[in-house]
Amino acid sequence: MAQLQLLRLDHGPALLDFERENRRYFAATIPDRGDDYFAEFDARHAALLAEQEAGTCRFHLVVGDDGAVLGRVNLLDLESGSAELGYRIAERAAGQGLATASVRDVCALARAAYGLTSLTARSALDNPGSRAVLTRNGFTPTADIELNGRPGLHYVRVL
């Protein structure tokens, strides 16, 4: 059974493996992180932990029983009771309800542990899986947007 964990320093190697293993899969629906992301991973990981320590973001990993990272669910730019939700699930774990369950769990944490009252999210129109996850978790589309040069939707969920 997968478990949601707040990002820690010791997650670094497993997180890097996750990003490398799923790079092509993610690039099919969202912009590639680029080679610099992987070359400078340790510094980036440390920067994320610093943001988390400062309270501006909360980074969560979805970790399998074997310790492998199966996904990420992040809350970005925590401010005035709101944050932006972002998530990605490994190709090998896609289509099994893991994204829906992980987003549900982070929504509960956002309210109970972080005191947030609303979340926003974005999804490209050509990413029906992501849009379904948001809808299943009570997010409502509020505006048409352009997302990385593609048509998309902006979503809001009141917690």
Side-chain angles (χ1 to χ4, degrees):
M1 174 124 182
Q3 181 183 63
L4 199 62
Q5 298 179 5
L6 194 61
L7 184 66
R8 303 184 311 256
L9 182 61
D10 64 321
H11 283 132
L15 180 55
L16 180 57
D17 288 345
F18 164 80
E19 292 291 350
R20 282 183 175 147
E21 290 167 8
N22 292 283
R23 185 175 183 182
R24 278 194 213 124
Y25 174 67
F26 294 146
T29 55
I30 55 177
D32 183 64
R33 292 187 184 275
D35 292 338
D36 287 347
Y37 174 85
F38 298 94
E40 300 167 9
F41 181 82
D42 290 341
R44 177 67 182 136
H45 187 62
L48 293 178
L49 290 169
E51 286 181 73
Q52 186 166 269
E53 181 67 27
T56 59
C57 298
R58 293 286 184 259
F59 303 103
H60 305 87
L61 299 183
V62 182
V63 180
D65 292 336
D66 61 356
V69 175
L70 300 174
R72 302 177 77 160
V73 186
N74 300 321
L75 297 173
L76 308 172
D77 302 326
L78 279 74
E79 186 178 320
S80 301
S82 186
E84 182 175 350
L85 172 78
Y87 54 92
R88 53 176 58 197
I89 299 295
E91 182 175 21
R92 70 181 174 114
Q96 302 172 28
L98 188 59
T100 298
S102 299
V103 167
R104 180 192 64 232
D105 292 349
V106 165
C107 287
L109 273 174
R111 182 171 182 236
Y114 308 141
L116 299 178
T117 56
S118 68
L119 296 177
T120 63
R122 299 175 291 158
S123 180
L125 289 181
D126 62 359
N127 191 344
S130 180
R131 292 188 356 251
V133 166
L134 293 171
T135 300
R136 285 186 203 116
N137 277 288
F139 284 81
T140 303
T142 59
D144 295 326
I145 60 169
E146 185 176 304
L147 187 60
N148 305 311
R150 299 171 11 220
L153 291 170
H154 181 267
Y155 290 82
V156 173
R157 176 177 172 187
V158 175
L159 300 172

